[in-house]
């Protein structure tokens, strides 16, 4: 655990712990500057950039977060510190680099829930690879219409001061929304399954296995498989493959990334293997899938 989380008494990264992190951001490390990722210029080919259908804030808590993004005029390579925030709208790329020590707090707004994540990269292993995200909280409720309206507005802001002011307001409303979240009253086994499924959704681009995932959650691999059969009606591998395929389809429809790049972003190391898996899942190879969807969109 990093120094900021330890100093704040963060223990299990529960909802209350993420409220504590938001209070820290609001009261002790407020937004001083806000940068907004833009679609243009395009990233350098073959870079393993991130593109998602959601709004994301990257908030460094300590150290330096190295990020590359576009600002409409040029590629920006910046080193963010506490109080310096990057906002990435849906379908816009960014390239996080993992070459410097830092703690990172992210707020991720999807159509169905808010996700809070914490990454402790204060002791890099020197590989430069993205670490697994193991500390997160998902709300059961979807973000409020007001939050969604403000996020859309922030994506259109061009004045940096106004952007920082609006981001602070969004964080205050997010804090209230998080505090009001009331988790559904479900059984312990189902709650564990949902936690594992959320772990997969955070990390599907990594080479995950059933055995390693079971070890992370201190479970027997056979028990983990039973959870997936009971609550997903599918295997661990099937659920993970579906997540990867859905993200691959999103990237093929919304970006011009090469299939080799999409292969890596979806957790595959071999393009032929990815292409074969995609063909089996959708009935078309990636290139034809992209062409068909774009023709339908333009018709």
């Amino acid at each position: 655990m990093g120094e900021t989380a330890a100093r704040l008494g963060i223990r299990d990264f529960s909802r209350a712990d993420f409220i504590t992190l938001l209070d820290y951001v609001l009261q002790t490390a407020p937004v001083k500057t806000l940068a907004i990722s833009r679609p243009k210029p395009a990233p350098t080919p073959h870079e393993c950039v991130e593109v998602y259908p959601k709004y994301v804030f990257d908030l460094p808590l300590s150290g330096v977060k190295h990020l590359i993004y576009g600002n409409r005029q040029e590629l920006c390579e910046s080193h963010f510190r506490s109080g310096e925030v990057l906002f990435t709208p849906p379908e816009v790329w960014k390239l996080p680099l993992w070459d410097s020590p830092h703690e990172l707090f992210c707020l991720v707004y999807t159509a169905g829930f808010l996700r809070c994540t914490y990454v402790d990269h204060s002791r890099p292993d020197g590989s430069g690879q993205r670490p697994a995200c193991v500390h997160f909280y998902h709300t059961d409720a979807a973000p409020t219409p007001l939050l969604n309206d403000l996020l859309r507005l922030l994506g259109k802001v061009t004045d940096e001061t106004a952007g920082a002011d609006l981001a602070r307001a969004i964080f205050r409303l997010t804090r209230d929304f998080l505090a009001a979240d009331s988790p559904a009253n479900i059984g312990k086994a189902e709650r564990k399954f949902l936690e594992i499924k959320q772990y997969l959704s955070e990390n599907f681009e990594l080479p995950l296995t059933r055995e390693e995932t079971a070890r992370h959650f201190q479970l027997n691999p056979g028990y983990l498989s039973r959870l997936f059969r009971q609550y997903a009606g599918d295997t661990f591998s099937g659920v993970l493959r579906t997540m990867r395929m859905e993200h691959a389809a999103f990237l093929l429809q919304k970006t011009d990334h090469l299939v080799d790049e999409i292969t890596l972003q979806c957790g595959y190391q071999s393009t032929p293997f990815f292409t074969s898996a995609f063909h089996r899942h959708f009935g078309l190879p990636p290139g034809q899938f992209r062409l068909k969807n774009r023709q339908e969109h333009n018709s």
Side-chain angles (χ1 to χ4, degrees):
M1 186 180 301
E3 60 179 27
T4 303
R7 188 170 67 250
L8 294 174
I10 304 297
R11 290 181 175 83
D12 56 4
F13 292 93
S14 62
R15 176 172 62 112
D17 284 337
F18 278 108
I19 290 173
T20 297
L21 282 177
L22 261 174
D23 285 338
Y24 172 78
V25 169
L26 288 166
Q27 299 166 13
T28 307
V31 180
K32 294 181 292 187
T33 62
L34 178 83
I36 301 178
S37 298
R38 306 295 184 184
K40 301 295 183 180
T44 303
H46 307 299
E47 293 280 19
C48 195
V49 301
E50 294 184 1
V51 184
Y52 298 109
K54 46 204 171 188
Y55 296 96
V56 182
F57 287 100
D58 289 297
L59 301 98
L61 298 171
S62 67
V64 176
K65 179 61 191 172
H66 188 182
L67 288 154
I68 299 175
Y69 57 97
N71 71 352
R72 287 200 179 102
Q73 284 81 38
E74 60 185 354
L75 291 176
C76 300
E77 183 169 353
S78 301
H79 295 80
F80 290 77
R81 294 170 172 79
S82 179
E84 301 170 346
V85 178
L86 179 67
F87 174 63
T88 307
E91 302 177 16
V92 177
W93 71 274
K94 65 176 178 178
L95 176 59
L97 300 175
W98 301 93
D99 53 3
S100 56
H102 63 276
E103 291 170 276
L104 185 66
F105 177 30
C106 294
L107 293 170
V108 183
Y109 302 78
T110 77
F113 55 82
L114 164 72
R115 180 166 70 236
C116 306
T117 68
Y118 166 87
V119 178
D120 177 19
H121 197 60
S122 55
R123 299 173 185 83
D125 61 9
S127 69
Q129 301 298 308
R130 174 193 180 277
C133 180
V134 298
H135 303 304
F136 49 83
Y137 177 82
H138 290 231
T139 62
D140 281 3
T144 65
L146 176 58
L147 271 173
N148 286 322
D149 288 344
L150 292 176
L151 289 164
R152 284 191 291 269
L153 178 61
L154 183 58
K156 299 176 182 178
V157 167
T158 56
D159 180 81
E160 291 185 1
T161 301
D165 290 341
L166 184 51
R168 287 190 289 269
I170 289 172
F171 295 160
R172 285 193 292 271
L173 290 170
T174 298
R175 196 264 186 218
D176 294 341
F177 169 70
L178 189 58
D181 185 52
S182 180
N185 186 19
I186 60 177
K188 185 177 180 181
E190 186 175 0
R191 179 63 66 183
K192 179 57 68 175
F193 163 73
L194 291 175
E195 186 179 351
I196 297 168
K197 186 178 178 184
Q198 291 160 4
Y199 173 80
L200 298 187
S201 73
E202 290 283 342
N203 298 292
F204 61 75
E205 67 270 37
L206 301 178
L208 300 176
T209 66
R210 184 191 68 151
E211 288 69 25
E212 290 169 344
T213 302
R215 191 179 309 119
H216 171 74
F217 286 95
Q218 299 181 327
L219 298 174
N220 179 281
Y223 177 68
L224 185 147
S225 292
R226 289 195 294 274
L227 288 177
F228 275 78
R229 285 196 298 270
Q230 180 176 355
Y231 295 109
D234 201 350
T235 64
F236 171 89
S237 297
V239 170
L240 179 58
R241 181 171 56 252
T242 296
M243 289 180 179
R244 288 170 167 168
M245 291 296 104
E246 288 177 350
H247 190 60
F250 165 75
L251 293 173
L252 287 164
Q253 293 175 76
K254 301 297 183 179
T255 76
D256 293 320
H257 296 174
L258 301 175
V259 173
D260 286 349
E261 297 165 335
I262 293 174
T263 295
L264 296 175
Q265 292 176 53
C266 294
Y268 292 89
Q269 300 304 310
S270 163
T271 299
F273 187 81
F274 163 74
T275 299
S276 176
F278 189 93
H279 196 169
R280 287 196 303 272
H281 192 86
F282 287 104
L284 290 172
Q288 290 183 27
F289 178 90
R290 170 178 272 165
L291 180 61
K292 179 176 182 291
N293 278 271
R294 293 196 175 179
Q295 287 174 339
E296 291 176 353
H297 178 75
N298 294 329
S299 63

